[in-house]
Amino acid sequence: MSSEAKVPDARAAAPEVHPVDEILPPGRMLVASLQHVASMYAGAVSVPLVVAVAAKMSPTDTAVLMGGSLLMAGIATLLQTLGIGTFIGSKLPFVNGVSFAGVGVMLTIIATQGGVEAGMPIVFGAIIVSSVFGFLVSSYFSRLVRFFPPVVTGSVITLIGVSLIPVAYDWIVDDSATGTPEPKSIGLAGATVLVMLLLQRFTRGFLKQISMLFAMVFGTLLAIPMGLADFSELDGADAVGIPSPLHFGAPEFSLPAIISMCVVMLVILTESTADMIALGRIVERDVDEKTIARGLRADALGSALSPLFNAFHASAFAQNIGLVVISKVRSRFVVALSGAILVLIGLSPAAAALISVVPMPVLAAVSLFLFGSIAVSGIQTLLQADLHRGDNALIVVVTLGAGLAPALSDGFYDAFPAWAQIVLGSGISTGCLLAVALNLVFNHLGTKPGPDPVTAPVGACADQAPTAVTRSP
């Protein structure tokens, strides 16, 4: 045997690193991480802004909510990408942030309790209990996905987006001292929308990803000569500061609020499951039940910790899945760095205060894009359902019809007891319960259904539809 045959080829012997586990050069990793932060930043602060404005919170409380949401988005992202052992974290390139699913429930709880002081502790208590519930059922949830087919998840996601759209218009009205929208406020919102449309149409890459942030900056600067900008909140804001734990008081526990939040948690688990399956296909890594369970535990753990720092439920941000498709960067360590950046931003009160000075018409314009995108994603999911079947079409009709009642008719359930208002006053909770129940009646009871496909992720491309869950041995 020749001496050459005895020398092993080091390159051939070295194990191949999967792109998901690849560590990129520092410069490329930083740029890719910043793109992820830019693409989700507006969405990450929108939920605390919606809640703060609708509940008429002070600027200080608003900044606390936003700072806590960014901090916990970073921590939840680190849990998801790096994981804890083999029990928590999908170890996929997932960016986590605050879920829109709970907005309606939270606002209903605050309203029925008479305001922020009494309502926020109950909100946070319900989030903690529902998150523990989500953690406990995570191992079994992937087996229950067949009860959340596209007709159910599509209806609920569409309901979330459509029911939030009136909130954006209310912001323009609330910006006026007369209680009616002024032409200059509408003009400012329209100009912000126009900038976003132009950037989306005529730019590419990083600038396109940060179009919402760019439009927010443009709108804020345009508001100065119009007399619609107020920068007084920046005075005295510290560059670095630890968010005050339990700023709104110790969590309190109310059974109706907990039930509603558990329904929200089921919606979040469904969306995250679908997102994991879709992302696994995109990055070419198998996603089985164990992977899904680990990912759901990361969502639930992040959500359970969030109230301690004045934040809400954490879930996967599906818009970042689109960024993985566009950028072709599949490394989970890139997204982990994004999580670290979000933690640093969350530790800066000045950064949170900077967002709070954005004029309401500008926030309304950006939010219209976000809320509309959620609704469109739900419609895309419904396209996977067989709506030619009358039963499925009926599920959509009843879900949207009943779920939109609180958004379209103010005070619709005011004559009901307070505990009933917490459940019924959130159209999302009501719609989700109806969709699941009707799907059971029409598609499961007395039938032998085949395996249902899971829903496509929110904002995912049509050509990246997920495959069925694979059961691990």
Side-chain angles (χ1 to χ4, degrees), residues 44 48 61-75 98 243-244 305-312 342 345-347 352:
D61 288 347
T62 302
V64 166
L65 282 184
M66 288 191 291
S69 295
L70 291 169
L71 172 66
M72 290 309 305
I75 292 175
V98 183
S244 56
L305 295 174
S306 289
L308 301 179
F309 294 98
N310 317 296
F312 308 126
L342 286 170
I345 296 175
L347 293 175

Side-chain angles (χ1 to χ4, degrees), residues 216-227:
M216 289 173 68
V217 173
F218 170 85
T220 302
L221 294 177
L222 181 61
I224 296 175
M226 299 174 68

Side-chain angles (χ1 to χ4, degrees), residues 121 243 436 463:
V436 172
D463 60 346

Side-chain angles (χ1 to χ4, degrees), residues 317-378:
F317 262 40
Q319 59 262 47
N320 292 84
I321 296 178
L323 182 56
V324 173
V325 176
I326 295 170
S327 67
K328 310 296 184 185
V329 176
R330 295 183 276 178
S331 171
R332 62 189 173 98
F333 296 105
V334 165
V335 178
L337 181 57
S338 301
I341 293 172
L342 286 170
V343 169
L344 293 177
I345 296 175
L347 293 175
S348 173
L354 186 62
I355 297 296
S356 68
V357 304
V358 178
M360 297 306 297
V362 175
L363 291 174
V366 172
S367 296
L368 279 174
F369 265 74
L370 291 169
F371 301 158
S373 297
I374 295 172
V376 170
S377 298

Side-chain angles (χ1 to χ4, degrees), residues 387-440:
L387 296 183
H388 294 291
R389 290 178 51 192
D391 291 346
N392 280 350
L394 188 61
I395 293 172
V396 179
V397 169
V398 174
T399 299
L400 295 180
L404 286 174
L408 300 180
S409 180
D410 189 30
F412 189 79
Y413 293 110
D414 281 357
F416 284 67
W419 65 266
Q421 290 184 45
I422 291 177
V423 179
L424 297 174
S426 167
I428 296 169
S429 295
T430 306
C432 183
L433 289 172
L434 283 172
V436 172
L438 290 174
N439 178 62
L440 285 172

Side-chain angles (χ1 to χ4, degrees), residues 42-57 61-63 65-66 69 98-108 110 116 120 160-161 163-171 174 312 355-356 360 363-368 370-371 374 428:
V45 298
S46 289
V47 173
L49 274 174
V50 170
V51 174
V53 174
K56 302 186 185 304
M57 290 187 184
D61 288 347
T62 302
L65 282 184
M66 288 191 291
S69 295
V98 183
S99 173
F100 278 95
V103 171
V105 175
M106 291 187 288
L107 294 180
T108 301
I110 293 171
V116 172
M120 289 301 291
I160 292 171
S163 62
L164 287 174
I165 287 175
V167 174
Y169 288 104
D170 288 341
W171 288 1
D174 291 342
F312 308 126
I355 297 296
S356 68
M360 297 306 297
L363 291 174
V366 172
S367 296
L368 279 174
L370 291 169
F371 301 158
I374 295 172
I428 296 169

